[in-house]
Amino acid sequence: MEPYKKHESIAALMNRSNVDTDQIIPKQFLKKVERSGFGAHLFHDWRFNDDGSDNPDFELNKPAFKGARILVAGDNFGCGSSREHAPWAIADYGFNTIISTSYADIFYNNCFKNGILAIKVDKNQLDKLMAEISANEGVRFVVDLENQQVTTPAGNGFSFEIDPFRKGNLLSGLDDIGLTLKHVDKIGEYEARHKQTFPWLWV
Amino acid sequence: MKKTMYEKIWDSHLVVDAAGQAPLIYVDRHLMHEVTSPQAFEGLRLAGRKVRNPHSILATMDHCVPTKNRDLPIADPIAKKQIEVMAENCRENDLNLYDMKNSNNGVIHVVVPEHGFVHPGMVVVCGDSHTATHGAFGALAFGIGTSEVEHVMATQTLPQKKSKTMLVQVDGTLSKYSSAKDIALAIIGKIGTAGGTGYVIEYAGEAIRALSMEGRMTLCNMAIEAGARAGLVAPDKKTYDYLKGREFAPSGKNWDLALAYWKSLPSDEGAVFDAVIALNAADIAPQVSWGTSPEQVVGVDGAVPAPESFENESKRKACESALAYMGLTANTRITDIPIDLVFIGSCTNGRIEDFRIAAEVTKGTKVARGVKAIAVPGSYHVKHQAEDEGLDKIFIEAGWEWRDPGCSMCLAMNGDELTKGQRSASTSNRNFEGRQGKGGRTHLVSPAMAAAAAAAGHFVDIRTL
Ligand code: SF4
């Protein structure tokens, strides 16, 4: 995983609630056995017309949002299935930050495992950010994870909360498995106790 | 201290709780299917890591397997590849796999209980959100992402944040025509698809105790549609009777040891939950979803709501766009909605009991003109059991297709799907846009409601049949 660095990027606006993982990456693309290349299919059913051409009405197809790394979206983003293809597609497309009021649990977890910072803000704050983008499409926000700060040109900046563990992992780019394996002795001890307590699970 | 069942399972599975790090919990059982695992195996291989406990894993192929003509080669080259890669990965790592041709094959969440692989008090994971199904046994079972699948394979543990607890108390007696599916939908209708976010739900009360194990699985299966991490039902005699004698259930002296442990699991009297919701089962009519989110649901005697009826603006907008997508007008009575296709199956409603009740409703009827109806058993065991009971004949005589097991139209990845504008009555769990095929319109219902709709060509209030 790439370490997450402070950056200034275009913030794209997706003013929809309950964007589900079936929309983020429609199921016809789940059959790949590799991890990469899902960005080409992000939001496929919204993004492309039936003939495969770009749908000009779809927000992320707006020229002003080209190259955006920040996605500002409505409530309950990422609901639906646990498919990790959704954050893979989002990251592969180029986003490394999402801002919304709430996320589905599994999706939220999966974001951090894939180097995506998912920021939670209150409704009022989200409305301000959305208004700022609507008024000035292509506007760039600065995201500073180290200091847990977002700043915007119109002064709608804010600070955000984040679990210190998730923050540390994003900043260092360290993979979860490596971190857990530091405790491999403890796991072994637990397993030895487990065999004593639950012998029927080990036959 | 008085503990909830969730807290008991959590405490007994805590491996490390170090400051500044998410607690690590131990995983007893790991379930797998072909769609969310290949990249995890790839990651493991690249990092030179091994599966820590191969015995904790049971794998199946279900998402993209064909449900007919299974002897022929798979037409879709990518599905074929996924299936080959799954077989290869399981062989390489010495894992127990019920492949497509195995007589134990079926949808993972249907197959696993059939073999007694999950017991009360376990921590169970799978790269699939409907893992919550196994909460029916009093196991803490939840879906994980592919990176986590890799994590569990390598370490047998998972970093987890402790969830809050929600008690959903359903007292009263369910009417003969309503089922576990209707309870599940009614709960989601009440609390919304984000209502359970951050929680593990424990379902309790008279109506839950009265459910069969199959019914409890249906209920817990849809905990995820209520936004919850997992759903739980306390184990009781039904649970023990169900498990006894199954392949992976303990036996002999171990059975007694296990049973003593299982009996210690139910939440202590007076344990405190972070949230409590109450419903009366007697009030739950057969449910029909009308929109593109499982919370957009109403009793069959109701009507499609008007956007103006929602006070909350985002719900109003959601209603508007759902009506547009679903091709419905506000205030249409549910029983006036015509359907094109009926699907009975999935890990929500693909068990023997589901086919029994659907067959009872189907018996002596004919599928309405212009309607296609498919019955897809959740597993070969369900299929064979149903055939032994003669249920397949009832469906076939009524004009239904009787298929081989798989996820099929639940997510329409295997070629079974709706075409644009087609409308289904489906016993599956998700009615998102495009879930059953691009432009397809899904109405979630119970098996009995689906069977009745097949015969009538539109929804029917089965209480009036
Ligand atoms: S039947 Fe549907 S919900 Fe269940 S595992 Fe298959 S695709 Fe997922």
Side-chain angles (χ1 to χ4, degrees):
Chain A
M1 233 161 62
E2 291 259 310
Y4 190 104
K5 297 204 182 74
K6 179 173 170 176
H7 63 103
E8 186 189 63
S9 315
I10 295 173
L13 173 60
M14 197 164 209
N15 192 0
R16 308 177 190 234
S17 303
N18 298 314
V19 171
D20 63 66
T21 49
D22 279 329
Q23 294 307 331
I24 296 175
I25 182 82
K27 59 181 177 283
Q28 63 266 36
F29 304 109
L30 303 187
K31 294 177 187 168
K32 288 171 69 111
V33 293
E34 302 85 21
R35 239 171 225 257
S36 53
F38 287 95
H41 312 299
L42 180 71
F43 295 119
H44 180 277
D45 291 355
W46 286 336
R47 190 168 143 203
F48 302 108
N49 294 318
D50 285 348
D51 64 3
S53 59
D54 281 2
N55 169 10
D57 295 333
F58 178 58
E59 45 271 48
L60 296 187
N61 285 337
K62 291 184 180 175
F65 292 151
K66 210 170 170 237
R69 305 212 69 196
I70 304 166
L71 180 64
V72 177
D75 307 341
N76 198 26
F77 190 83
C79 58
S81 109
S82 61
R83 61 184 69 149
E84 197 160 339
H85 309 69
W88 291 340
I90 289 172
D92 193 55
Y93 182 88
F95 290 115
N96 71 354
T97 309
I98 310 176
I99 303 179
S100 176
T101 53
S102 55
Y103 304 86
D105 280 349
I106 299 176
F107 176 81
Y108 185 74
N109 271 324
N110 285 339
C111 281
F112 288 92
K113 290 180 197 318
N114 290 284
I116 301 167
L117 169 61
I119 299 177
K120 292 182 190 167
V121 293
D122 63 24
K123 184 87 186 101
N124 182 23
Q125 181 64 49
L126 186 73
D127 288 345
K128 282 195 224 160
L129 297 173
M130 286 188 168
E132 179 169 350
I133 302 173
S134 302
N136 181 14
E137 286 183 354
V139 61
R140 302 169 81 92
F141 294 173
V142 177
V143 185
D144 179 357
L145 173 59
E146 182 83 61
N147 294 306
Q148 300 177 211
Q149 280 288 341
V150 173
T151 39
T152 81
N156 289 315
F158 60 96
S159 52
F160 57 89
E161 293 293 316
I162 177 172
D163 175 274
F165 180 66
R166 296 191 202 279
K167 176 178 172 180
N169 290 355
L170 276 185
L171 288 172
S172 65
L174 190 68
D175 108 301
D176 269 7
I177 299 180
L179 256 147
T180 295
L181 287 174
K182 287 192 193 158
H183 299 294
V184 70
D185 294 349
K186 289 253 170 56
I187 298 172
E189 286 163 25
Y190 177 90
E191 250 166 12
R193 285 201 307 278
H194 195 273
K195 282 181 190 164
Q196 298 270 313
T197 330
F198 309 112
W200 63 91
L201 294 183
W202 294 89
V203 287
Chain B
M1 212 195 85
K2 297 187 190 318
K3 289 187 191 173
T4 63
M5 184 160 53
Y6 170 69
E7 285 156 348
K8 292 181 190 184
I9 301 175
W10 175 272
D11 289 350
S12 67
H13 285 78
L14 194 60
V15 177
V16 181
D17 192 5
Q21 227 174 304
L24 272 187
I25 63 165
Y26 194 75
V27 173
D28 300 304
R29 293 289 197 239
H30 189 179
L31 321 176
M32 264 182 204
H33 62 71
E34 75 277 21
V35 176
T36 52
S37 64
Q39 291 90 351
F41 282 107
E42 181 193 346
L44 211 60
R45 225 172 355 249
L46 290 175
R49 290 173 177 139
K50 279 205 148 25
V51 177
R52 185 172 171 100
N53 181 4
H55 297 293
S56 67
I57 298 175
L58 187 66
T60 182
M61 295 169 172
D62 52 11
H63 280 61
C64 44
V65 301
T67 54
K68 54 183 178 188
N69 303 329
R70 211 172 257 198
D71 311 332
L72 302 178
I74 297 185
D76 176 349
I78 318 172
K80 182 161 173 277
K81 172 124 191 248
Q82 247 179 358
I83 280 172
E84 287 165 1
V85 168
M86 182 73 185
E88 178 63 38
N89 284 332
C90 289
R91 205 164 32 239
E92 202 174 286
N93 292 283
D94 209 7
L95 308 181
N96 197 357
L97 167 71
Y98 297 153
D99 72 23
M100 234 172 75
K101 305 243 161 90
N102 189 304
S103 61
N104 292 331
N105 180 260
V107 178
I108 186 80
H109 307 308
V110 176
V111 165
V112 161
E114 285 174 343
H115 296 272
F117 194 62
V118 167
H119 316 160
M122 283 180 165
V123 170
V124 181
V125 300
C126 175
D128 189 285
S129 44
H130 290 95
T131 311
T133 309
H134 310 285
F137 290 84
L140 176 61
F142 52 90
I144 56 178
T146 300
S147 313
E148 292 173 310
V149 170
E150 186 183 337
H151 195 118
V152 174
M153 283 200 282
T155 72
Q156 210 59 38
T157 64
L158 203 61
Q160 275 295 298
K161 265 182 94 159
K162 198 167 174 183
S163 299
K164 292 181 285 182
T165 53
M166 177 185 284
L167 177 69
V168 175
Q169 178 85 21
V170 192
D171 285 315
T173 314
L174 206 58
S175 95
K176 164 165 181 264
Y177 305 96
S178 295
S179 66
K181 180 63 162 288
D182 302 299
I183 303 183
L185 288 170
I187 292 169
I188 298 161
K190 185 176 166 102
I191 70 175
T193 51
T197 303
Y199 290 95
V200 164
I201 295 178
E202 180 172 340
Y203 300 98
E206 201 187 332
I208 309 298
R209 296 260 73 84
L211 292 176
S212 63
M213 287 314 292
E214 284 83 0
R216 293 177 190 180
M217 288 185 234
T218 301
L219 179 69
C220 289
N221 175 276
M222 291 192 72
I224 191 76
E225 272 68 44
R229 190 98 180 102
L232 288 168
V233 174
D236 59 11
K237 185 160 181 305
K238 283 184 187 164
T239 323
Y240 315 140
D241 290 349
Y242 181 99
L243 284 171
K244 191 141 203 182
R246 294 192 189 253
E247 187 182 352
F248 295 101
S251 57
K253 194 169 133 267
N254 274 333
W255 173 265
D256 300 330
L257 282 173
L259 192 63
Y261 170 62
W262 298 345
K263 288 186 171 169
S264 74
L265 290 166
S267 295
D268 298 330
E269 187 95 24
V272 179
F273 290 82
D274 297 303
V276 179
I277 308 280
L279 275 83
N280 190 330
D283 301 339
I284 300 175
Q287 304 282 303
V288 180
S289 74
W290 51 265
T292 53
S293 161
E295 71 183 38
Q296 294 172 322
V297 68
V298 64
V300 63
D301 47 355
V304 175
E308 308 84 76
S309 66
F310 294 93
E311 277 172 26
N312 171 310
E313 197 206 316
S314 78
K315 294 220 160 156
R316 191 159 55 232
K317 271 178 75 179
C319 175
E320 258 165 34
S321 71
L323 294 190
Y325 180 82
M326 294 295 288
L328 290 173
T329 21
N331 305 319
T332 306
R333 288 174 36 180
I334 294 294
T335 48
D336 289 339
I337 301 175
I339 46 129
D340 305 301
L341 189 140
V342 178
F343 167 66
I344 298 186
S346 87
C347 62
T348 311
N349 282 129
R351 299 190 176 79
I352 187 65
E353 206 177 69
D354 301 314
F355 292 98
R356 283 186 190 137
I357 176 104
E360 199 184 311
V361 175
T362 301
K363 197 164 188 165
T365 65
K366 283 268 175 268
V367 171
R369 267 185 91 149
V371 173
K372 176 169 159 171
I374 63 174
V376 185
S379 71
Y380 272 123
H381 285 277
V382 171
K383 185 175 191 210
H384 296 144
Q385 170 83 31
E387 288 169 355
D388 288 345
E389 296 178 17
L391 307 183
D392 57 324
K393 295 210 182 60
I394 297 178
F395 287 111
I396 293 165
E397 272 164 25
W400 286 66
E401 290 181 33
W402 179 250
R403 299 282 187 88
D404 280 329
C407 295
S408 177
M409 283 211 51
C410 176
L411 91 166
M413 231 176 124
N414 71 335
D416 300 337
E417 62 181 352
L418 293 178
T419 53
K420 199 165 180 169
Q422 269 192 330
R423 187 182 298 283
S424 76
S426 176
T427 67
S428 54
N429 43 57
R430 286 185 173 148
N431 51 348
F432 299 147
E433 286 184 24
R435 171 79 175 184
Q436 294 191 301
K438 193 171 175 182
R441 297 160 171 167
T442 304
H443 295 274
L444 302 174
V445 289
S446 71
M449 284 286 291
H458 55 84
F459 292 107
V460 233
D461 190 340
I462 46 176
R463 296 172 299 183
T464 62
L465 283 184

